[in-house]
Amino acid sequence: MSTNRLVAIGLTAAVALTTAGCAESPVASRTEAEPPAASAAGYPVTLENCGVKQTFTKAPSRVVVMNGASVAEVSTLLALGLKDRIVVNQQSYGRSEVPGRADAIKALPKGGIELNDAFDIPREAMLGQSPDLVLSTTAYGFDAKNGFATRDQLKAVGANTYISPQGCDQDTSRMTIEDSRTLLRDLGKVFGVSDRAEKLIAASDKRIAEISAKVEGEEKPDVMVLFSNMTMGGNDFSSVVAKGIYNDILARAGGANAFESASTTSFADLSKEKVAAADVDALVVISYNDPDPTAYAEKLLKEFPQWSAAKNDAYVVLSDSIYLGPSNDVAVEKIARTLHPDAL
């Protein structure tokens, strides 16, 4: 199974979650966009997505967001002010760096659907929602072998479909911040709110450029990035990030991935001995529906006291901002403040 389907393997194999925690340092406040005005001119819109050309004669009004172990798609819709277009959403991380976003996601309708073994929407339930647009993180979500409605089946009932950037071949190891921009631009075009998408992109790019300029020339600490309390392989550390958008974010924040060479895919499956032997200057823990990722981070620092990260208590807990989505600038800022506190 693709490592992109974290929910299908992580929730069934995750170790027990811990309970203690502490608050994170705040970052610049932001809120989700207000609903856009009704779309007027600009249609039809044609979009080619993973080799499939589709035409939109109007802005979609019955959107179904598949799980896919992601919040990129639902967060992008919310950032664009499109929550009222969502009839079913199965995405949630349980937390967010953006004020109000986690609660906004929680409040979205779920459709009363009984999910399949991959914790996602099966074929008949999907078709029964009468969607006019279905969003999936990767092509996995439209694969008949997995019990999902195919793109052709959805087209037959009047629904367009969209697979997020780098999801065509289910390999997100090449993903960068540019893919977050693409997701915003594509959905902006589909819903007739391209101006709003471009404003979000410009604001994010401006903040990232400002932070990168401040840390330019600084020594780049080696950072370990991993998911909190998540098991995806046979070793003690099987959710360690090797490649993908995380590395682009680290680079903009003035850091480097300590385990980038540990795998050719997005994640590395590492033994405790290999992790212990690494030089880790800072720790980034990603929460995926873990109520207390801070406790997990602190436990790791105690487990490996030889790390510079442990000696300096250098860690940060993130969730949605470090992954594909509209808020990568938040992750860049929070990581940069951990790696280079004197520069910011």
Side-chain angles (χ1 to χ4, degrees):
M1 185 177 294
S2 168
T3 53
N4 299 316
R5 301 293 299 184
L6 284 172
V7 69
I9 49 185
L11 295 184
T12 56
V15 297
L17 303 182
T18 50
T19 56
C22 62
E24 294 183 60
S25 299
V27 295
S29 176
R30 63 163 69 191
T31 57
E32 301 295 359
E34 293 298 319
S39 300
Y43 291 92
V45 166
T46 299
L47 187 71
E48 185 168 338
N49 175 246
C50 294
V52 177
K53 187 174 288 187
Q54 299 172 106
T55 298
F56 296 81
T57 57
K58 62 180 180 178
S61 60
R62 292 190 57 81
V63 183
V64 174
V65 185
M66 299 188 73
N67 189 337
S70 174
V71 286
E73 293 74 25
V74 70
S75 295
T76 299
L77 290 174
L78 290 176
L80 290 170
L82 299 168
K83 69 177 182 179
D84 292 339
R85 313 295 178 90
I86 303 171
V87 294
V88 175
N89 169 62
Q90 292 299 334
Q91 296 186 344
S92 173
Y93 276 7
R95 59 186 288 134
S96 172
E97 283 78 71
V98 178
R101 179 177 290 166
D103 289 339
I105 291 174
K106 185 178 180 181
L108 292 171
K110 293 182 171 55
I113 294 170
E114 183 176 347
L115 304 182
N116 60 17
D117 291 341
F119 297 91
D120 222 326
I121 305 171
R123 179 186 301 107
E124 294 307 319
M126 174 65 78
L127 297 175
Q129 294 299 317
S130 302
D132 56 7
L133 176 62
V134 178
L135 305 180
S136 178
T137 304
T138 71
Y140 182 98
F142 298 123
D143 192 332
K145 297 193 301 292
N146 301 320
F148 298 120
T150 66
R151 302 187 83 176
D152 284 341
Q153 289 170 337
L154 287 163
K155 180 180 179 181
V157 297
N160 281 321
T161 49
Y162 181 84
I163 298 171
S164 288
Q166 302 297 341
C168 302
D169 57 3
Q170 304 183 55
D171 178 10
T172 58
S173 63
R174 299 182 301 273
M175 188 177 286
T176 68
I177 292 174
E178 184 60 33
D179 293 303
S180 293
R181 299 185 187 108
T182 298
L183 179 58
L184 272 165
R185 285 196 172 104
D186 283 352
L187 293 185
K189 183 178 180 181
V190 165
F191 286 92
V193 291
S194 289
D195 287 350
R196 186 177 293 280
E198 292 303 327
K199 287 179 181 177
L200 290 170
I201 291 167
S204 178
D205 286 355
K206 182 175 182 290
R207 186 60 185 138
I208 290 173
E210 290 172 347
I211 295 166
S212 296
K214 290 180 180 179
V215 301
E216 187 175 1
E218 299 281 342
E219 185 177 347
K220 294 185 177 182
D222 289 318
V223 184
M224 180 181 188
V225 184
L226 78 167
F227 280 79
S228 175
N229 283 307
M230 182 75 75
T231 301
M232 297 190 290
N235 284 294
D236 292 321
F237 293 89
S238 55
S239 64
V240 177
V241 168
K243 292 178 172 59
I245 193 171
Y246 321 92
N247 292 356
D248 192 12
I249 289 172
L250 285 177
R252 310 295 184 100
N257 189 339
F259 297 97
E260 182 174 3
S261 62
S263 175
T264 59
T265 60
S266 297
F267 297 97
D269 186 6
L270 305 176
S271 67
K272 182 176 180 179
E273 291 73 22
K274 180 152 187 152
V275 169
D279 183 17
V280 176
D281 297 315
L283 187 66
V284 174
V285 169
I286 307 173
S287 171
Y288 175 76
N289 282 318
D290 184 347
D292 198 353
T294 298
Y296 179 76
E298 292 175 342
K299 182 187 76 172
L300 277 185
L301 295 180
K302 289 180 181 177
E303 188 174 0
F304 301 101
Q306 73 277 15
W307 285 351
S308 296
K311 295 172 184 176
N312 298 318
D313 199 32
Y315 75 92
V316 61
V317 172
L318 300 174
S319 56
D320 56 342
S321 64
I322 198 172
Y323 201 61
L324 178 72
S327 308
N328 295 152
D329 58 305
V330 179
V332 171
E333 180 172 352
K334 289 178 74 72
I335 294 172
R337 289 190 182 279
T338 300
L339 302 183
H340 305 287
D342 296 333
L344 272 72

